[in-house]
Amino acid sequence: MNKSEFVDLVKSVGEYETKKDAEKAISAFVASVEKALSKKESIELVGFGKFEAVLQKGKEGTVPGTNKKYKTKDKFVPKFKAGKGLKDAVAAAKK
């Protein structure tokens, strides 16, 4: 599903009058999640899931085919863990 199809889905499910209103709601949600995660805050939507920023440790390795070594730095990455309600809905739809 691409963004245009998702906007249509949000418009129908959310009962928005126009696609522009639905797109505005999606943009506001995405911007809010980005802002909270950039502050290292977590967002928990009960039944849906939890968005959080977690520390990913740096790694060492070698480039295949050469003896060159590299090391990556520690960094924060976004993580999403699905809630029970979302897991159950997906499992039920698969049948």
Side-chain angles (χ1 to χ4, degrees):
M1 176 178 290
N2 62 29
K3 185 177 179 182
S4 177
E5 294 168 341
F6 186 65
V7 169
D8 289 336
L9 179 63
V10 170
K11 179 181 177 271
S12 64
V13 172
E15 298 176 1
Y16 289 98
E17 291 184 22
T18 65
K19 288 175 80 172
K20 195 171 191 176
D21 291 339
E23 189 168 356
K24 195 173 185 180
I26 293 167
S27 296
F29 176 76
V30 170
S32 300
V33 169
E34 286 176 358
K35 189 170 185 176
L37 292 180
S38 68
K39 293 179 181 178
K40 313 292 187 282
E41 297 175 351
S42 64
I43 304 161
E44 188 166 356
L45 304 172
V46 177
F48 182 73
K50 183 176 183 177
F51 296 92
E52 58 188 333
V54 295
L55 181 66
Q56 184 180 64
K57 294 284 186 180
K59 302 173 188 171
E60 288 185 15
T62 57
V63 178
T66 67
N67 291 333
K68 291 183 181 177
K69 294 191 181 271
Y70 67 90
K71 183 175 181 179
T72 60
K73 296 180 180 179
D74 294 351
K75 62 182 175 181
F76 279 93
V77 295
K79 180 180 176 184
F80 176 75
K81 182 177 180 187
K84 184 173 179 356
L86 180 59
K87 287 179 184 178
D88 292 345
V90 171
K94 202 171 187 181
K95 295 177 182 177

